Amino acid sequence: MALSLQEQLLKAGLTDKKKVKQVKQQKHKQAKAQQRHKVVESDEAKLAAAEAIEAKKAKDRELNQQTKLEAEKKAIVAQIKQLIEVNKQPRGKADVVCNFTDGTLIKRMYVGTETQKHISQGKLAIVKYEQAYELVPMPVADKIAERDPLVVVYRSDMISAEDQKSSEDDDWYADYQIPDDLNW
């Protein structure tokens, strides 16, 4: 018959009878206390394992959330690309220069006179598409701006307060005729 661990330790001389007796008494006291008070003794190993599992679950949730956000960003970029490709408008005969700002840079696009009128009337907007600029109808520009407002570069209905003030000043000169050969 196999010897218990305590007997094996005693035979090997790694412990003495006094320590064995103390351990037995301590175990007996713990068992009695649990029976009397119905106290459940927490096992440190179980607690550590539970904490590790919770930490792993939290980390997995965070990674899953990041993956989901990246997938949503890619979907939004694809939607914007599709909206621009399907709805881009022709520029017409390129005989008029249309200046607009992209951030702090002033950019230039050559368009036809009819297209330039549509841009100034607020029917068309200029959007940034890959490394170039395209013209799209205003309702499409609204949909694009909902997804990413930085893609819409120029809209005539989003004129700054300073530009509106200067346009009010220009109304004072409305009574005067502008020569035909003068190009703004």
Side-chain angles (χ1 to χ4, degrees), residues 31-50:
K32 287 286 187 178
Q34 284 180 351
Q35 289 174 358
R36 285 186 190 155
H37 303 290
K38 295 183 181 177
V39 176
V40 178
E41 191 172 302
S42 61
D43 189 11
E44 292 179 16
K46 286 182 183 179
L47 289 175

Side-chain angles (χ1 to χ4, degrees), residues 78-94:
Q79 289 172 0
I80 291 172
K81 184 176 179 181
Q82 183 182 14
L83 281 170
I84 293 173
E85 286 178 356
V86 170
N87 296 299
K88 65 182 176 183
Q89 300 293 310
R91 295 183 185 178
K93 188 177 178 184

Side-chain angles (χ1 to χ4, degrees), residues 55-119:
K56 185 179 182 323
K57 284 181 182 178
K59 184 178 178 183
D60 289 344
R61 279 192 294 268
E62 185 179 321
L63 289 174
N64 190 18
Q65 185 70 17
Q66 288 176 352
T67 305
K68 194 175 186 180
L69 288 174
E70 289 174 10
E72 287 176 5
K73 286 180 185 177
K74 286 181 182 179
I76 288 172
V77 169
Q79 289 172 0
I80 291 172
K81 184 176 179 181
Q82 183 182 14
L83 281 170
I84 293 173
E85 286 178 356
V86 170
N87 296 299
K88 65 182 176 183
Q89 300 293 310
R91 295 183 185 178
K93 188 177 178 184
D95 54 353
V96 178
V97 175
C98 179
N99 293 321
F100 59 95
T101 58
D102 183 7
T104 58
L105 300 174
I106 297 176
K107 296 291 184 170
R108 170 177 292 196
M109 178 186 293
Y110 290 94
V111 295
T113 54
E114 193 67 29
T115 306
Q116 198 267 342
K117 284 180 187 177
H118 289 304
I119 293 171

Side-chain angles (χ1 to χ4, degrees), residues 13-28:
L14 296 173
T15 187
D16 55 2
K17 288 185 179 184
K18 187 177 181 182
K19 285 193 177 186
V20 171
K21 189 176 181 181
Q22 283 179 347
V23 170
K24 280 185 180 180
Q25 285 177 350
Q26 191 174 8
K27 281 187 179 182
H28 183 68

Side-chain angles (χ1 to χ4, degrees), residues 136-163:
V136 295
M138 198 56 71
V140 176
D142 293 336
K143 290 179 183 178
I144 292 171
E146 287 175 6
R147 290 163 174 81
D148 187 5
L150 298 177
V151 175
V152 179
V153 177
Y154 177 78
R155 298 171 58 147
S156 65
D157 60 348
M158 296 291 184
I159 299 174
S160 68
E162 294 175 7
D163 292 340

